[in-house]
Amino acid sequence: MIKKTFSCMASQCEVLIDTEDPIIFESYFSKIQTEAYRLEHKYSRYREDNIVYQINHSSGNKVKLDDETSSLIDFSLQCYKMSDGLFDITSGVLRKIWSFKKTDQENTEPPDSQKIKECLKKVGMHRIQWKSPYLKLEPGMEIDFGGIVKEYAVDKCIALFSKESPAALINFGGDLSVTKAPRSGSWSVAIEELFNSGDARAHIDIKNGAIATSGDTYRFFEHDKKRYSHILNPKTGWPVSNGVATITVQAETCTLAGILATVSHLQNNPAQFLKEQEAQHWITNYNRPL
Amino acid sequence: MQLKPKTIKKIKSSLALATTVLLTGVSQGHAQDTQIADAPPPSATKWTGAIANLYYSETDRVTAIEPVINLNAEFSGERKWSNKLVVDTLTGASHNGAVMSRNPQTFTSPSGSSNYTIAPGNVTLDPTFKDTRIALSSSWSQPLGENYEWSVGGNGSKEYDFTSLSVNSSISKNLNNKNTKLSLGVSGEFDSINPVGGAPVGLATMSPTKPTLGTTESKQVFDLLLGWTQVMSRSWIVQLNYNLGHSSGYMNDPYKFTSEVVAPGAGNAGDPTGTYFYDKRPDSRTKHALFIDSKYHLGGWGIVGTSYRYFFDDWGVTSHTADISYHVPISSRWYVEPSFRYYIQNKADFYRYFQVQGQSLPQEMSSDYRLGDMTAMTIGLEFGRKLDSYGKEISFRAQLYTQQGDSSPSEAYGFLTSQDLYPKLTAVIGQVIYKF
């Protein structure tokens, strides 16, 4: 088993391949790195030389998208509809009016409701004009793929392996997927969030499929003695206060697991929601003092 | 604002479907976007090749510089077109076949227009040796049906006194799930030899006005190759080849000769008489070679390669070659490969160290050191660095070659016993190879 890591998408990216041959490992590893850097470059909101910048600075003009970005818009639109608007890639502008720090001492007052109302006018997939491959946003609107690009990257890298390839595990900052079971039988994955919460089941054994986690144990907003996650509801403009810190979901692909985790996080009862979806999940709460 | 529905919709399966469309739809329709160099759209041609330069230098003898360019294209349907261009520039001096002597010896150069003298104690080398050779080869291979592959190719080479043209073709069959490969190949070569000064009549004596056969001679070579490659296990592959070759036509080396030496009994027995006989070989040669090669993969510990070749022909030459190499990756990018080769050869029936004055001339006679009794060893070290994971790499190879024979064979007598009748040859070889 050979393991190597690299930094990408503001995360520690880890690749494990069930082989002893460094040449074989290296050939897959460099393809994975290339693909991860490609997607980071293409969909980062911090760059000024990619399609995301073009879209977000189009001032209400239409932008022609490439095939891959068109597919992501199609996909995001479907998720928006299926989640009744809870998954919304135009909700990124809300982060400008909220700030979430690591410790509660640094938290400030929430933004006033007028500010939120103004901002919400620039949020909503129903406001975009999309006729593939042309996308038109209202001025002031922004697209942010940050909610799915990591999971999508994991799935694209998994696709680099074929049936005959050695077994592999790709983990981009906690969003991970495996190609098949390794020679030892299964992959033993430690869920850090569960570990931190003291849960005895800190390890899970997976043979195939993917895991994605939504939420953050350490980043939250405290107001009126209530803790709010940093995940914002695109319809209310407010973070959820269901007391859930992190949700880890297992599904066939990382993208699917990620969408389910995000959507469930915004539910009043995430556990019940995921049970209805028949998705394997693990939840940690803010109840315990950190 | 919409009212949230009371019941929780089951959305997982439709989300799963949407992600499938996203992940598979994009990767099929957009191979160009993914920039993963070795997964191009099926119609693209993959170009690979190599540029190399070899430096070969024998101590006090021949020096050669040989740049090589390889350019290969792989088209869809596993059709391959391979090309190679080699330029050889040789300078220096080559052993002319004469024995060494305690007295100076003068030889006529091949053109007949000049002489050169070898001082006593020096190896008899012809210093007028200088040549440039260009060789171009091209071949095409493609599958034939499900289990067969065929290829056809041609080579051409030209140097000052030698032109060669050849064609070859082969067919191979894959069996046992591609674990076995059988192949059959044939080739035909036509050479035209224009020795400097004309081709001397074999066994004629050296002089500026040597009798010649004519200015252009020719030679034909036919080869048959039978091959069997077998994957023995996931780590081990073995290859067995049999090669049958037949050459006919002008087989002599026009620049080599045999020394006539004073017969035993005389006061200066063993000294050269000043007469030299030109090289004369049979006008045909049938060669057989049996070759076995094994490569064993030690996982992360590298690859061990061993091979053995047994050769014999109708000139009486037999030889054995044993080779071992060990390719070791020393990091994810660097590798090192030490190698060792041992060669032993038994002389041709008509190989002579010298001709005794007064004795009748044999039908064929040659003192070309390459047809004599000899052993040779090559020790080499190669190290290389992979520049990417798609085959681009640069490597450096250094080798030391030593060849020796019987310096004092039993035939020696008189002053011949104090001469080295098979001077040792040492060469260093350096090579740089860039593969892309």
Side-chain angles (χ1 to χ4, degrees):
Chain A
M1 184 74 70
I2 303 179
K3 171 174 128 167
K4 216 166 160 184
T5 62
F6 64 100
S7 280
C8 190
M9 296 185 222
S11 307
Q12 170 90 308
C13 297
E14 187 182 55
V15 175
L16 280 93
I17 303 181
D18 191 17
T19 179
E20 309 311 318
D21 188 336
I23 295 168
I24 291 178
F25 178 84
E26 205 50 43
S27 82
Y28 285 108
F29 183 74
S30 50
K31 288 183 214 163
I32 290 167
Q33 261 193 312
T34 303
E35 180 66 352
Y37 289 140
R38 178 188 77 84
L39 287 167
E40 178 186 49
H41 186 288
K42 194 173 179 185
Y43 295 117
S44 165
R45 63 170 184 255
Y46 302 110
R47 297 193 71 98
E48 293 177 10
D49 57 354
N50 59 13
I51 189 70
V52 168
Y53 184 83
Q54 247 192 297
I55 295 168
N56 294 344
H57 292 81
S58 53
S59 316
N61 295 313
K62 69 178 181 197
V63 179
K64 185 174 181 196
L65 306 182
D66 58 89
D67 288 352
E68 185 176 32
T69 312
S70 296
S71 297
L72 283 167
I73 297 287
D74 282 333
F75 176 73
S76 303
L77 204 50
Q78 279 197 289
C79 293
Y80 171 80
K81 290 175 189 162
M82 284 190 258
S83 65
D84 290 319
L86 291 177
F87 181 83
D88 193 327
I89 58 172
T90 62
S91 60
V93 291
L94 286 169
R95 73 168 185 282
K96 292 183 184 165
I97 60 170
W98 286 90
S99 67
F100 297 98
K101 305 294 181 191
K102 282 224 162 165
T103 62
D104 49 12
Q105 285 100 325
E106 292 179 67
N107 273 321
T108 52
E109 289 291 308
D112 65 65
S113 53
Q114 186 60 27
K115 219 172 173 183
I116 294 173
K117 205 167 162 190
E118 283 301 313
C119 198
L120 280 175
K121 288 194 186 141
K122 300 290 169 215
V123 173
M125 280 296 265
H126 58 282
R127 295 189 210 270
I128 71 168
Q129 285 178 58
W130 168 239
K131 194 168 156 68
S132 184
Y134 295 100
L135 177 70
K136 195 180 198 187
L137 301 181
E138 284 173 27
M141 284 186 78
E142 277 183 18
I143 296 279
D144 181 4
F145 289 113
I148 49 167
V149 73
K150 235 192 313 160
E151 294 88 335
Y152 174 70
V154 168
D155 286 332
K156 292 287 280 174
C157 291
I158 287 285
L160 296 169
F161 292 83
S162 67
K163 261 195 329 186
E164 292 82 30
S165 302
L169 182 150
I170 297 176
N171 177 1
F172 289 173
D175 295 326
L176 65 94
S177 185
V178 306
T179 57
K180 61 183 184 190
R183 288 171 291 179
S184 61
S186 65
W187 299 93
S188 182
V189 177
I191 312 282
E192 196 195 313
E193 292 76 11
L194 296 182
F195 194 76
N196 286 334
S197 71
D199 199 305
R201 297 168 304 142
H203 276 87
I204 59 172
D205 291 315
I206 67 171
K207 292 187 164 76
N208 45 49
I211 290 171
T213 300
S214 147
D216 192 304
T217 324
Y218 299 106
R219 259 195 302 168
F220 56 88
F221 190 88
E222 187 154 334
H223 179 67
D224 281 346
K225 295 204 176 77
K226 236 174 154 187
R227 278 184 188 166
Y228 297 79
S229 147
H230 75 284
I231 310 246
L232 297 166
N233 184 320
K235 289 152 69 162
T236 64
W238 270 80
V240 284
S241 62
N242 50 22
V244 168
T246 68
I247 301 181
T248 301
V249 178
Q250 186 175 0
E252 299 90 75
T253 62
C254 205
T255 307
L256 177 60
I259 302 283
L260 286 171
T262 304
V263 173
S264 63
H265 212 130
L266 294 166
Q267 306 289 330
N268 285 332
N269 195 333
Q272 199 189 351
F273 174 81
L274 286 167
K275 197 160 154 228
E276 276 296 308
Q277 306 308 326
E278 289 167 27
Q280 179 81 281
H281 59 277
W282 299 264
I283 295 180
T284 64
N285 299 307
Y286 285 125
N287 309 342
R288 306 169 204 266
L290 289 165
Chain B
M1 274 239 278
Q2 295 166 11
L3 285 172
K4 288 204 204 92
K6 296 275 180 185
T7 53
I8 298 170
K9 275 192 316 202
K10 282 202 166 159
I11 58 170
K12 187 174 156 215
S13 45
S14 35
L15 274 176
L17 188 62
T19 44
T20 306
V21 170
L22 171 70
L23 295 171
T24 56
V26 173
S27 57
Q28 268 168 21
H30 217 78
Q32 276 86 13
D33 209 34
T34 53
Q35 288 166 34
I36 295 173
D38 71 345
S43 53
T45 308
K46 184 172 155 190
W47 287 93
T48 56
I51 300 173
N53 196 17
L54 180 138
Y55 170 78
Y56 171 86
S57 179
E58 292 167 355
T59 312
D60 300 328
R61 298 200 202 183
V62 171
T63 299
I65 302 218
E66 185 185 276
V68 178
I69 300 175
N70 262 12
L71 196 59
N72 309 315
E74 187 167 333
F75 304 103
S76 63
E78 285 176 56
R79 296 173 301 155
K80 291 168 206 150
W81 184 37
S82 314
N83 302 285
K84 184 156 99 170
L85 175 69
V86 179
V87 179
D88 254 319
T89 53
L90 295 106
T91 51
S94 180
H95 190 246
N96 61 19
V99 296
M100 284 165 69
S101 165
R102 63 191 178 110
N103 298 317
Q105 302 184 72
T106 301
F107 303 98
T108 310
S109 73
S111 65
S113 58
S114 64
N115 294 335
Y116 61 94
T117 303
I118 302 294
N122 280 2
V123 180
T124 46
L125 305 173
D126 178 350
T128 64
F129 183 73
K130 196 187 312 194
D131 211 349
T132 302
R133 179 180 77 108
I134 292 182
L136 185 62
S137 65
S138 186
S139 75
W140 175 267
S141 77
Q142 66 176 72
L144 192 66
E146 229 195 272
N147 296 315
Y148 291 86
E149 190 185 292
W150 71 274
S151 79
V152 70
N155 302 334
S157 82
K158 176 92 183 83
E159 55 202 272
Y160 185 77
D161 56 358
F162 183 87
T163 307
S164 169
L165 282 170
S166 74
V167 289
N168 59 72
S169 182
S170 76
I171 186 157
S172 64
K173 181 173 183 178
N174 286 312
L175 304 156
N176 297 333
N177 227 356
K178 289 203 171 172
N179 284 323
T180 308
K181 182 167 163 177
L182 298 173
S183 49
L184 170 69
V186 291
S187 75
E189 178 182 313
F190 184 83
D191 301 334
S192 175
I193 306 142
N194 270 46
V196 176
V201 172
L203 300 178
T205 55
M206 173 192 285
S207 78
T209 54
K210 63 182 184 234
T212 59
L213 296 166
T215 48
T216 310
E217 297 305 308
S218 69
K219 182 171 96 185
Q220 297 82 43
V221 184
F222 296 102
D223 272 283
L224 176 76
L225 176 69
L226 294 170
W228 172 41
T229 308
Q230 180 70 43
V231 174
M232 305 293 279
S233 76
R234 265 177 45 175
S235 329
W236 189 25
I237 185 164
V238 170
Q239 187 175 25
L240 188 62
N241 286 346
Y242 168 67
N243 192 319
L244 173 67
H246 180 79
S247 333
S248 60
Y250 181 77
M251 307 293 292
N252 306 342
D253 186 318
Y255 309 125
K256 296 213 177 339
F257 33 78
T258 305
S259 305
E260 184 188 60
V261 293
V262 175
N268 59 352
D271 273 352
T273 63
T275 298
Y276 304 94
F277 301 102
Y278 286 109
D279 192 280
K280 172 88 170 84
R281 309 179 190 194
D283 51 15
S284 76
R285 185 181 191 184
T286 304
K287 306 193 276 194
H288 306 258
L290 211 61
F291 176 73
I292 183 162
D293 185 286
S294 154
K295 285 214 174 3
Y296 195 86
H297 203 260
L298 295 168
W301 292 97
I303 303 168
V304 178
T306 51
S307 72
Y308 167 72
R309 180 175 182 258
Y310 172 57
F311 171 90
F312 63 97
D313 67 8
D314 61 356
W315 282 4
V317 178
T318 59
S319 74
H320 306 265
T321 315
D323 198 293
I324 183 162
S325 67
Y326 182 35
H327 178 106
V328 196
I330 51 180
S331 78
S332 60
R333 293 236 176 219
W334 287 93
Y335 72 84
V336 76
E337 185 173 322
S339 61
F340 177 75
R341 172 179 292 184
Y342 183 77
Y343 178 79
I344 183 164
Q345 174 177 290
N346 291 317
K347 64 179 166 66
D349 297 332
F350 53 85
Y351 177 82
R352 297 273 180 280
Y353 293 96
F354 48 79
Q355 168 67 19
V356 178
Q357 187 177 35
Q359 284 188 0
S360 56
L361 286 175
Q363 286 226 290
E364 289 108 14
M365 179 163 74
S366 176
S367 298
D368 188 338
Y369 70 95
R370 296 168 297 185
L371 288 172
D373 280 329
M374 63 142 112
T375 57
M377 289 194 293
T378 314
I379 186 158
L381 185 67
E382 179 177 337
F383 60 97
R385 183 179 199 267
K386 285 151 60 79
L387 300 168
D388 70 11
S389 43
Y390 312 129
K392 203 188 271 190
E393 86 173 37
I394 187 156
S395 62
F396 309 92
R397 189 187 288 173
Q399 288 173 309
L400 181 66
Y401 174 78
T402 59
Q403 176 194 89
Q404 53 201 53
D406 199 343
S407 295
S408 227
S410 51
E411 298 96 299
Y413 61 89
F415 285 107
L416 287 166
T417 56
S418 56
Q419 297 299 332
D420 181 350
L421 296 185
Y422 198 99
K424 186 170 172 178
L425 188 154
T426 313
V428 290
I429 300 148
Q431 195 173 23
V432 179
I433 307 161
Y434 169 66
K435 285 187 199 158
F436 56 89

